[in-house]
Amino acid sequence: MSLPPEFLELYGALPRQGPGNRASLDRAMQVIRPAKDAACLDAGCGVGADISGLLAHVPDGSVDGFEFYPEFAEWAARKNSDPRVRVRTGDMLELDATYDLIWSMGAVYIPGVNTALRRWKPHLGPGGKIAFSEIVWLTDTPPIEAQDFWASYPAMTHLGGIETICRDEGYRVLDRTVLPDDAWEAYYHPLEARIAECRKGTCSEALTAVMDEAEAEIALWRAHRRAFGYGLFVVKVA
């Protein structure tokens, strides 16, 4: 399945397709402490923004990238030509190998946190860990604008809610944190620059609509960034 051309035009040129940055990855790795030869999976890798960071922490290991959209997978493979990297198009839940670390930034909402944790469990090696980010409420009284925006994702909960899901699926939470503002800006700054570039030319109606939606999302986060954010969790089988 391919993305609509207007999405490819806007998001394909970005270094990443969601909030995250190298500093947040490095912090998680201080908790994970992977072996130098660890086998890693980047589940829902997009264009491969985190692959080089993962490789840096497993110098004798490997990173498999799974990405649903073939265009993103192709770009990820092109950007990460290291022989230790293998990028494939496919369902990130349909695995055929065992991993020491499964890393998934901003993608577990697609199948649901509980489904992802359940399906990945048989593919974790001894002592294996999962690190994932998930959008969460940071307050019990979010503003109406934020509630309206996230109404399409009724599964959205808070940090404690994610911890409960992890425990219910047989995992122990080793660490949880909230992605800092600079991890969001690492995504939004390039997105804003790309929108500005696109608007200089002739835009289709579909591309204009996608850009308008992206700008509304950015404005919402900047106005209400203390109401919601991405929780970054590191878990292992209990």
Side-chain angles (χ1 to χ4, degrees):
M1 180 179 180
S2 294
L3 280 167
E6 60 272 13
F7 279 88
L8 286 174
E9 185 172 354
L10 182 61
Y11 291 99
L14 301 181
R16 62 184 317 119
Q17 284 69 48
N21 59 3
R22 178 62 185 271
S24 297
L25 184 151
D26 290 343
R27 183 191 182 282
M29 288 299 170
Q30 291 176 5
V31 177
I32 296 165
R33 300 175 64 86
K36 290 185 177 181
D37 62 349
C40 304
L41 168 68
D42 189 348
C45 67
V47 298
D50 289 331
I51 290 178
S52 62
L54 293 171
L55 283 177
H57 287 273
V58 292
D60 301 321
S62 62
V63 177
D64 285 355
F66 261 74
E67 171 53 43
F68 183 75
Y69 294 108
E71 297 88 353
F72 285 171
E74 180 182 346
W75 292 329
R78 192 180 306 147
K79 286 170 57 178
N80 298 278
S81 58
D82 190 300
R84 296 176 296 154
V85 176
R86 179 178 61 163
V87 180
R88 289 185 284 174
T89 301
D91 185 341
M92 66 182 185
L93 301 183
E94 297 290 340
L95 306 183
D96 57 4
T98 298
Y99 297 96
D100 301 299
L101 169 63
I102 297 178
W103 175 267
S104 186
M105 294 297 102
V108 293
Y109 78 93
I110 300 170
V113 176
N114 54 342
T115 298
L117 293 177
R118 192 178 309 134
R119 294 284 295 277
W120 286 338
K121 188 182 290 186
H123 298 279
L124 284 174
K129 300 177 180 70
I130 298 174
F132 66 93
S133 67
E134 168 71 341
I135 195 71
V136 294
W137 292 117
L138 301 177
T139 176
D140 292 332
T141 56
I144 294 298
E145 295 87 351
Q147 293 183 50
D148 289 344
F149 181 86
W150 291 108
S152 60
Y153 188 42
M156 186 170 168
T157 181
H158 46 80
L159 292 166
I162 299 299
E163 286 204 39
T164 297
I165 292 172
C166 293
R167 288 194 297 269
D168 288 348
E169 293 298 334
Y171 289 84
R172 178 160 61 95
V173 178
L174 303 180
D175 188 56
R176 78 174 196 185
T177 188
V178 175
L179 289 184
D181 288 356
D182 58 2
W184 285 78
E185 297 294 4
Y187 168 49
Y188 283 152
H189 279 162
L191 177 55
E192 287 177 312
R194 179 60 181 158
I195 290 172
E197 181 182 356
C198 289
R199 290 197 189 279
K200 291 178 182 178
T202 302
C203 301
S204 67
E205 185 175 334
L207 177 58
T208 297
V210 170
M211 292 190 296
D212 289 346
E213 290 175 2
E215 288 178 326
E217 175 188 327
I218 295 170
L220 177 76
W221 176 76
R222 294 217 170 112
H224 302 295
R225 67 184 72 186
R226 300 297 170 251
F228 61 91
Y230 269 96
L232 175 53
F233 298 82
V234 178
V235 304
K236 67 179 296 185
V237 177

